[in-house]
Amino acid sequence: MKNKNKYDVLIAGGGVAGISCAYNCAKLGLKTLLVEKENYLGGDTTGALVVPVMKTDTKDLNTKFYNDLIKYSKNNGAQLTYGDKNQGWFNPILLKYVFDKMLKSCKCDILFESQITKVYTKEKSINKIKVSNKLLSLPIVSKYYVDTTGDASLSKLLKCEFWDDNKIKQPESLRFLVSGVDINLFADFLEQIDNDKNVTTTYRIDNEIHLSTAYTWDASKKWALDKFFKQALSQNLLIESDLAYFQLFTIAKMPGTIAFNCPRLRDYNHSNPFDYANALIEAREAILRLHKFLVASFPGFKNSFISSIAARTGERETSRVKCLYDYTIEDIITQKAFENPALYSNYPIDIHSNQKDKSVLYKVCSYSFPIESLKSKNYDNLYVAGKIAGCDFKSQAALRVQSSCMSMGEAVACDIYKNIN
Ligand SMILES: Cc1cc2nc3c(=O)[nH]c(=O)nc-3n(C[C@H](O)[C@H](O)[C@H](O)COP(=O)(O)OP(=O)(O)OC[C@H]3O[C@@H](n4cnc5c(N)ncnc54)[C@H](O)[C@@H]3O)c2cc1C
């Protein structure tokens, strides 16, 4: 085999966990290959339009990638710092370019539209894999392999063990963007109807207004938009399920554009792809209904239009891989200390449900997450990172935020570097 097909690290999946891992590995001088199924990097962040990165109030660990991402994005007009000092307000369209640029800067090899199609193992070691794309099939040998596929597809190919502690799937969301909005008019309106700022924030940043607000059908909060949703329901502009979850954010350097963290897909039968197709079609119908509702109900939307519907649904949770340490919600609640923490966070436990008043968002104190929950139980040279990390269902509902996924990827890179050197 030629040397060019030999790597120190092969990372499958170019979402934020994989990109962070690849960036740090390559920066540390490791020969690194990132294999991505789509033709762009970013996973949920760019493909499912997940912005902004949620802020935690704890000092985190392994933040080199995130800090560099902020710098690169700032230099390329793809970032803003929100009024609450959250630096993670990105432009999801331009991030595709920023991620490319960051990985090329550190000489990381990338294969797009490629997937691992075969694995060759001996006992607890992965010896070789085959990567296939529309041009060719390549055998690749690497010292270490990292699964950051967001759906654990590499670990599934390897027949690894998985957590089996949750029968209820959280709803997926199909996010969308609306452009041509008069943000000033909309901000004035929101400030009037939510003057105690219960769920709305508005700030003037770089001579532009930026804002966020939300509404859900849960009784947990006083929702300023409540009467507008109820009225639209009575006028048949919306249907009941449209009231489940609605959240919006303006976007860095996209004047007049708003990103919507909705609609949720209805619960569908996960072993029936036809049912999934229908749920997806219904979600796109919901986007059209929501836009008509925005135009009819709120100042600022008169000349607006739907400018993007996410290329993929956002899946909050898929499969979680069994690792050397079984991390659970107890570790968060008891604030267990670990010898080798991969990250610190205090992001709350955030469990979404399609049933009224069944979603959960509860605050927790600062917790840490160990590197052992990123090392596969089944293979000595396999790591995992991101939303498929080795933790139980409830703790994943806190750990899945993008900043934690980035720290996990970086922690894996540092651990591999230590092993190799
Ligand atoms: C609806 C929704 C809203 C959210 N809101 C927020 C929020 O506001 N703020 C926040 O911080 N977090 C939020 N999150 C969480 C966060 O976005 C995700 O948990 C995080 O981005 C996951 O990153 P990841 O790298 O683990 O996986 P992913 O982003 O899923 O990346 C996995 C990558 O692997 C690729 N891939 C898959 N299979 C293969 C294969 N076989 N071979 C090669 N490549 C493959 C995929 O194409 C993808 O690029 C939200 C998530 C969802 C779903």
Side-chain angles (χ1 to χ4, degrees):
M1 178 170 304
K2 288 182 195 142
N3 239 358
K4 67 175 185 180
N5 289 354
K6 281 192 171 168
Y7 286 90
D8 292 318
V9 195
L10 182 147
I11 298 150
V16 284
I19 304 167
S20 169
C21 188
Y23 182 75
N24 281 288
C25 285
K27 280 245 162 201
L28 289 165
L30 303 177
K31 193 165 181 240
T32 308
L33 171 65
L34 178 62
V35 178
E36 167 54 47
K37 186 175 75 166
E38 305 293 345
N39 73 356
Y40 58 87
L41 297 175
D44 281 342
T45 311
T46 52
L49 299 171
V50 176
V51 281
V53 171
M54 285 292 135
K55 180 171 165 268
T56 70
D57 295 324
T58 303
K59 197 145 183 53
D60 197 3
L61 269 179
N62 293 310
T63 54
K64 179 166 177 36
F65 171 75
Y66 189 29
N67 291 334
D68 285 0
L69 174 63
I70 291 165
K71 274 187 224 147
Y72 268 89
S73 303
K74 212 175 250 178
N75 290 342
N76 289 285
Q79 182 271 351
L80 73 80
T81 303
Y82 198 56
D84 61 357
K85 310 248 182 321
N86 182 0
Q87 298 189 81
W89 280 51
F90 295 107
N91 175 319
I93 316 292
L94 284 180
L95 272 190
K96 288 182 182 172
Y97 165 78
V98 170
F99 289 141
D100 287 348
K101 208 171 151 79
M102 288 180 78
L103 290 195
K104 288 326 279 177
S105 78
C106 55
K107 304 202 167 29
C108 171
D109 285 350
I110 304 173
L111 284 174
F112 283 120
E113 296 179 5
S114 300
Q115 293 197 52
I116 294 163
T117 46
K118 210 166 167 132
V119 286
Y120 301 85
T121 62
K122 190 168 178 208
E123 291 162 6
K124 286 192 83 181
S125 185
I126 308 165
N127 290 345
K128 190 169 70 174
I129 53 121
K130 195 185 271 176
V131 175
S132 305
N133 54 43
K134 62 184 173 191
L135 301 175
L136 39 83
S137 245
L138 280 175
I140 291 174
V141 170
S142 181
K143 290 180 188 151
Y144 289 91
Y145 298 82
V146 187
D147 187 348
T148 46
T149 54
D151 57 6
S153 40
L154 173 57
S155 305
K156 283 176 189 158
L157 214 53
L158 286 159
K159 300 197 173 11
C160 291
E161 287 167 71
F162 290 91
W163 287 78
D164 184 22
D165 60 337
N166 175 44
K167 301 281 172 256
I168 314 152
K169 281 283 289 180
Q170 293 179 79
E172 291 159 48
S173 296
L174 185 66
R175 300 177 68 138
F176 66 104
L177 308 184
V178 170
S179 300
V181 183
D182 186 330
I183 305 279
N184 289 335
L185 270 183
F186 186 45
D188 287 347
F189 163 79
L190 285 178
E191 279 167 3
Q192 277 166 30
I193 61 153
D194 194 5
N195 57 13
D196 57 358
K197 296 219 166 195
N198 190 16
V199 287
T200 304
T201 50
T202 54
Y203 294 100
R204 178 167 287 280
I205 302 162
D206 298 340
N207 292 322
E208 273 174 28
I209 297 282
H210 282 277
L211 56 83
S212 172
T213 195
Y215 168 81
T216 83
W217 63 10
D218 299 333
S220 56
K221 261 198 159 98
K222 183 177 147 247
W223 304 105
L225 297 178
D226 189 59
K227 76 169 185 197
F228 299 92
F229 276 87
K230 299 272 169 64
Q231 194 180 18
L233 186 63
S234 71
Q235 293 169 341
N236 296 325
L237 254 182
L238 295 179
I239 62 173
E240 182 96 29
S241 56
D242 298 330
L243 276 62
Y245 192 86
F246 174 90
Q247 190 180 28
L248 61 85
F249 307 90
T250 46
I251 308 177
K253 316 292 177 190
M254 283 182 87
T257 299
I258 293 183
F260 291 83
N261 183 13
C262 51
R264 285 173 176 162
L265 266 66
R266 66 162 163 82
D267 294 333
Y268 63 89
N269 177 351
H270 282 257
S271 46
N272 181 347
F274 296 100
D275 197 29
Y276 171 62
N278 285 331
L280 199 48
I281 289 165
E282 287 163 36
R284 282 194 271 271
E285 285 167 359
I287 290 175
L288 271 284
R289 266 195 314 274
L290 284 166
H291 181 243
K292 278 192 185 141
F293 158 67
L294 293 166
V295 173
S297 311
F298 304 131
F301 283 88
K302 200 167 120 206
N303 299 317
S304 70
F305 55 95
I306 298 166
S307 51
S308 182
I309 295 178
R312 48 185 257 171
T313 63
E315 276 193 276
R316 294 183 167 84
E317 190 239 348
T318 56
S319 303
R320 285 158 287 113
V321 181
K322 277 280 186 175
C323 288
L324 295 183
Y325 180 78
D326 284 345
Y327 189 85
T328 70
I329 182 79
E330 284 304 306
D331 296 317
I332 290 188
I333 290 166
T334 59
Q335 296 181 274
K336 183 167 170 144
F338 293 95
E339 206 174 314
N340 298 304
L343 63 92
Y344 296 133
S345 177
N346 67 350
Y347 194 75
I349 316 292
D350 183 9
I351 302 172
H352 288 241
S353 167
N354 264 342
Q355 289 176 4
K356 232 178 234 181
D357 295 320
K358 288 274 181 309
S359 292
V360 168
L361 184 73
Y362 59 88
K363 287 193 177 163
V364 288
C365 297
S366 178
Y367 49 89
S368 66
F369 182 73
I371 188 76
E372 287 75 18
S373 296
L374 300 172
K375 289 179 173 181
S376 153
K377 185 177 174 178
N378 299 100
Y379 293 93
D380 294 335
N381 59 346
L382 175 67
Y383 287 76
V384 301
K387 64 185 177 188
I388 61 166
C391 54
D392 71 351
F393 169 71
K394 285 186 178 164
S395 59
Q396 194 271 3
L399 288 159
R400 69 162 179 267
V401 286
Q402 294 165 89
S403 48
S404 295
C405 290
M406 293 183 227
S407 293
M408 289 183 205
E410 185 161 327
V412 166
C414 296
D415 208 62
I416 291 174
Y417 178 75
K418 255 196 293 173
N419 294 344
I420 288 181
N421 288 281

